[in-house]
């Protein structure tokens, strides 16, 4: 609790810090839900930042809009675009901190319910998540509500430990999907685990638990019926789908999303220069798309273009490997590993991946990072790459020392603590990732300094895509190394 209080004090000091367009996105959603009837929420488009989260989050914004309207009525005026009075800033920043109390509670439940032999590890993990640079950068400076949502996820995962609370775990996850649909990527792991452990006898797959099947099915129907039923009645499901799943957007959200497609984009960029020597054809119209790093259609100049269907197929194929292991060995640790690997798959090869989605991997992986030293070795490259990949979100000078110093302090503190707490693995350790992480971390410091400071001093506004591409390519290598390491640990356990 003392740690939470100190962390809160720091976050309050960051109220005047840089805020992204996401700040205006959420202010606009306050205005939309407050000023328009429910039937118009997913049609309103006065602002370009239209409501594109599921109904539960819209209700969440609607609830917050009432105290917002009392504090500053202009805040909830739909036509008042880019409104950012001090009252608005203080209110929205405060709501992030207040709703993050759910994360504090979830971590308390996670740590307090751990087996006695793992209490120290659980408390260390809880503190590392609470103080995560990811939440500080994305939520408390850039501006989002990830702490609240990941608190919900951690609580759901924790309750899946015991048979007596497994139904509640499933219900909480279903509600979470109604808050933010990105968690659909984790749903396959929940489906397999609940089916295998809750709907069937864990020791006999041919012995269904009919009462549990009914309870789970009715619960899911009630949750999704309450969230989507009104929109089905109004005939708005197609409109809701178009807002939640805008497949018209391009493959790459931006260069700094560190996944396979960042490496693919980098390879295509290199091939543009090598094409004359290798006698390769170049699509000249696609060159700008390759270099711009902006939201939109991404066309490749040399390599084949990628479709949403191909991304979906690759994501499912990667996930099936972990799900098969979970089906055959349905333990809680295997479940968390499957959740993490499902998140990995969606991040690495998904369509239009946001750089902020790396938390979908970091947070569940943190829960098993101290299972043994092999898992920790796999987690370390992700901890470095995932947080470095978030640095381009904060490109203003005042935030530079904050993101660098805080992240370095977090990495050093928890790397040392985790190293002391992680037990030895049951099989001989493989030190390849340990050596990789040491070299990888050493490279990160000069790379970040160059991309954040030196490049601008030397080139000004020219070649602005180069720092973004360098960060994303570097970070993608770390994320891939972590994914490979976790697969090795998970499948050999």
């Amino acid at each position: 609790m003392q740690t939470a209080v100190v962390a809160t004090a720091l976050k309050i000091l960051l109220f005047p810090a840089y805020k992204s367009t996401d700040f205006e996105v959420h202010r606009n959603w306050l205005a939309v839900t407050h000023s328009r009837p429910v039937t118009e929420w997913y049609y309103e488009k006065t602002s370009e930042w239209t409501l594109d989260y599921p109904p539960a989050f819209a209700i969440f914004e609607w609830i917050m809009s009432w105290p917002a309207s009392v504090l500053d009525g202009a805040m909830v005026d739909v036509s008042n675009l880019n409104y950012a009075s001090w009252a608005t800033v203080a209110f929205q920043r405060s709501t992030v901190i207040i709703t993050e109390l759910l994360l504090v509670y979830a971590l308390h439940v996670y740590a307090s319910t751990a087996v006695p032999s793992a209490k120290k590890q659980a408390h260390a993990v809880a503190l590392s998540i609470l103080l995560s640079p990811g939440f500080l950068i994305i939520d408390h400076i850039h501006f989002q509500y990830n702490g609240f949502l990941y608190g919900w996820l951690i609580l759901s995962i924790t309750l899946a430990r015991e048979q007596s609370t497994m139904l509640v775990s499933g219900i909480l996850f279903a509600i979470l999907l109604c808050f933010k649909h990105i968690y659909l990527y984790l749903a396959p792991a929940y489906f397999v685990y609940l089916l295998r452990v809750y709907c069937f006898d864990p020791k006999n797959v041919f012995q269904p638990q009919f009462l549990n099947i009914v309870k789970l099915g009715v619960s899911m129907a009630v949750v999704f019926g309450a969230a989507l039923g009104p929109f089905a009645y109004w005939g708005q499901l197609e409109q809701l789908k178009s807002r939640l799943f805008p497949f018209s957007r391009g493959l790459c959200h931006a260069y700094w999303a560190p996944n396979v497609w960042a490496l693919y984009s980098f390879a295509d960029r290199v091939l543009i220069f090598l094409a004359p020597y290798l006698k390769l054809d170049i699509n000249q119209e696609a060159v700008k798309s390759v270099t711009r790093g902006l939201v939109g259609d991404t066309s490749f100049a040399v390599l084949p273009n990628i479709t949403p269907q191909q991304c979906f197929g690759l994501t499912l194929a990667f996930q099936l490997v972990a799900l098969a292991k979970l089906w055959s060995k349905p333990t809680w640790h295997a479940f968390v590993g499957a959740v993490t690997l499902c998140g990995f798959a969606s991040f690495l090869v998904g369509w239009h991946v946001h750089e902020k989605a790396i938390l979908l991997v970091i947070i569940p992986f943190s829960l098993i990072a101290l299972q043994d030293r092999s898992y920790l070795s796999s987690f370390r490259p992700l901890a470095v790459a995932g947080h470095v990949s978030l640095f381009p979100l904060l490109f203003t000078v005042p935030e530079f020392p904050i993101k660098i110093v805080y992240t370095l302090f977090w990495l050093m503190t928890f790397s040392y603590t985790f190293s002391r707490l992680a037990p030895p693995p049951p099989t001989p350790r493989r030190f390849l990732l340990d050596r990789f992480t040491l070299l990888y971390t050493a490279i990160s410091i000069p790379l970040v300094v160059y991309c954040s400071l030196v490049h601008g001093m030397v080139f000004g506004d020219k070649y602005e895509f180069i720092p973004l591409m360098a960060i994303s390519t570097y970070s993608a290598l770390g994320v891939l190394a972590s994914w490979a390491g976790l697969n090795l640990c998970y499948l050999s356990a």
Side-chain angles (χ1 to χ4, degrees):
M1 183 57 69
Q2 292 177 335
T3 303
V5 171
V6 173
T8 299
L10 172 62
K11 293 162 186 175
I12 292 173
L13 291 175
L14 292 174
F15 275 17
Y18 161 80
K19 54 187 182 298
S20 72
T21 53
D22 278 345
F23 183 88
E24 168 61 14
V25 168
H26 287 279
R27 188 215 60 81
N28 180 62
W29 293 358
L30 288 174
V32 168
T33 55
H34 187 83
S35 306
R36 297 287 188 264
V38 181
T39 53
E40 296 181 15
W41 285 359
Y42 289 96
Y43 288 91
E44 165 61 43
K45 55 181 181 180
T46 302
S47 168
E48 62 179 307
W49 313 117
T50 53
L51 181 60
D52 58 6
Y53 275 25
F57 200 92
I59 295 296
F60 172 72
E61 294 277 5
W62 175 75
I63 292 171
M64 292 194 299
S65 74
W66 289 99
S69 66
V70 174
L71 186 65
D72 184 350
M75 193 190 315
V76 292
D77 182 349
V78 173
S79 62
N80 214 358
L81 302 181
N82 298 310
Y83 184 74
S85 67
W86 173 244
T88 303
V89 172
F91 175 78
Q92 290 197 226
R93 296 282 196 197
S94 298
T95 59
V96 175
I97 294 174
I98 293 169
T99 55
E100 200 177 53
L101 290 174
L102 179 60
L103 175 64
V104 177
Y105 173 73
L107 291 172
H108 168 73
V109 174
Y110 165 75
S112 62
T113 57
V115 295
S117 60
K119 286 284 186 183
K120 287 185 178 179
Q121 288 93 331
H123 278 99
V125 167
L127 285 174
S128 75
I129 294 175
L130 179 63
L131 300 175
S132 168
F135 289 136
L136 188 79
I137 292 171
I138 299 174
D139 285 10
H140 299 282
I141 301 178
H142 187 268
F143 196 84
Q144 277 193 353
Y145 290 93
N146 289 289
F148 162 66
L149 296 171
Y150 279 98
W152 204 290
L153 176 65
I154 291 170
L155 189 59
S156 173
I157 291 175
T158 301
L159 293 177
R161 273 176 174 162
E162 303 294 335
Q163 185 80 15
S164 59
T165 54
M166 207 163 287
L167 177 61
V168 179
S169 169
I171 293 172
L172 288 179
F173 183 72
I175 296 172
L176 180 62
L177 292 178
C178 296
F179 272 99
K180 193 171 183 179
H181 50 302
I182 192 175
Y183 298 101
L184 274 170
Y185 289 123
L186 310 183
Y190 270 87
F191 176 79
V192 170
Y193 186 64
L194 290 174
L195 182 65
R196 184 69 177 81
V197 178
Y198 186 74
C199 296
F200 293 100
D201 188 315
K203 297 180 181 179
N204 185 1
V205 71
F206 299 105
Q207 187 174 338
Q209 306 291 312
F210 291 107
L211 181 59
N212 287 353
I213 293 173
V214 171
K215 288 192 292 186
L216 183 61
V218 170
S219 299
M220 297 300 102
V222 169
V223 171
F224 292 117
L228 303 176
F231 297 93
Y233 177 77
W234 298 322
Q236 295 184 3
L237 287 183
E238 190 61 34
Q239 176 66 14
L240 191 62
K241 175 187 172 183
S242 68
R243 284 287 182 89
L244 268 57
F245 302 100
F247 287 113
S248 59
R249 295 178 182 176
L251 169 68
C252 299
H253 173 257
Y255 269 123
W256 52 78
N259 60 6
V260 167
W261 308 128
L263 296 176
Y264 195 80
S265 298
F266 176 73
D268 191 71
R269 182 64 188 170
V270 171
L271 287 173
I272 291 174
F273 291 99
L274 297 180
Y277 306 100
L278 300 176
K279 297 182 179 180
L280 299 173
D281 293 331
I282 299 178
N283 179 0
Q284 294 294 341
E285 293 182 0
V287 173
K288 286 187 178 181
S289 174
V290 174
T291 59
R292 68 188 180 190
L294 300 174
V295 176
D297 292 333
T298 303
S299 299
F300 295 102
V302 180
L303 295 175
N305 289 325
I306 305 299
T307 66
Q309 293 78 11
Q310 290 170 330
C311 289
F312 176 79
L314 286 170
T315 301
L316 182 60
F318 283 5
Q319 290 184 342
L320 284 175
V321 177
L323 298 176
K325 176 62 180 289
L326 177 61
W327 181 266
S328 65
K329 188 178 180 181
T331 64
W332 183 79
H333 281 97
F335 165 61
V336 182
V339 167
T340 305
L341 287 170
C342 282
F344 255 125
S346 68
F347 187 83
L348 285 173
V349 294
W351 179 264
H352 195 73
V353 176
H354 288 235
E355 64 282 354
K356 299 180 285 292
I358 193 63
L359 292 181
L360 203 64
V361 184
I362 293 177
I363 301 305
F365 199 165
S366 298
L367 302 179
I368 54 172
L370 291 182
Q371 187 166 327
D372 63 48
R373 289 173 192 165
S374 295
Y375 279 83
L376 179 58
S377 294
S378 303
F379 178 73
R380 280 175 173 148
L382 177 68
V384 176
H387 292 112
V388 168
S389 71
L390 297 175
F391 286 175
L393 290 174
L394 307 180
F395 50 84
T396 50
V397 174
E399 283 69 40
F400 179 79
I402 298 174
K403 67 183 182 184
I404 299 296
V405 173
Y406 186 88
T407 302
L408 280 175
F409 179 77
W410 182 90
L411 284 170
M412 290 188 295
T413 300
F414 287 102
S415 179
Y416 174 75
T417 304
F418 281 16
S419 297
R420 298 193 55 166
L421 292 175
T427 56
R429 289 183 67 194
R430 301 170 178 85
F431 291 92
L432 180 61
L433 275 179
D434 289 342
R435 295 166 184 161
F436 171 82
T437 304
L438 183 63
L439 175 62
Y440 188 77
T441 305
I443 294 173
S444 69
I445 298 175
L447 177 69
V448 170
V449 171
Y450 172 80
C451 292
S452 300
L453 297 176
V454 177
H455 182 86
M457 295 169 62
V458 175
F459 296 104
D461 295 333
K462 295 181 179 179
Y463 314 116
E464 61 181 357
F465 69 92
I466 291 179
L468 298 178
M469 182 177 280
I471 290 289
S472 69
T473 303
Y474 164 84
S475 300
L477 292 173
V479 174
L480 274 171
S482 179
W483 172 78
L486 179 58
N487 268 293
L488 184 63
C489 294
Y490 185 76
L491 297 176
S492 61

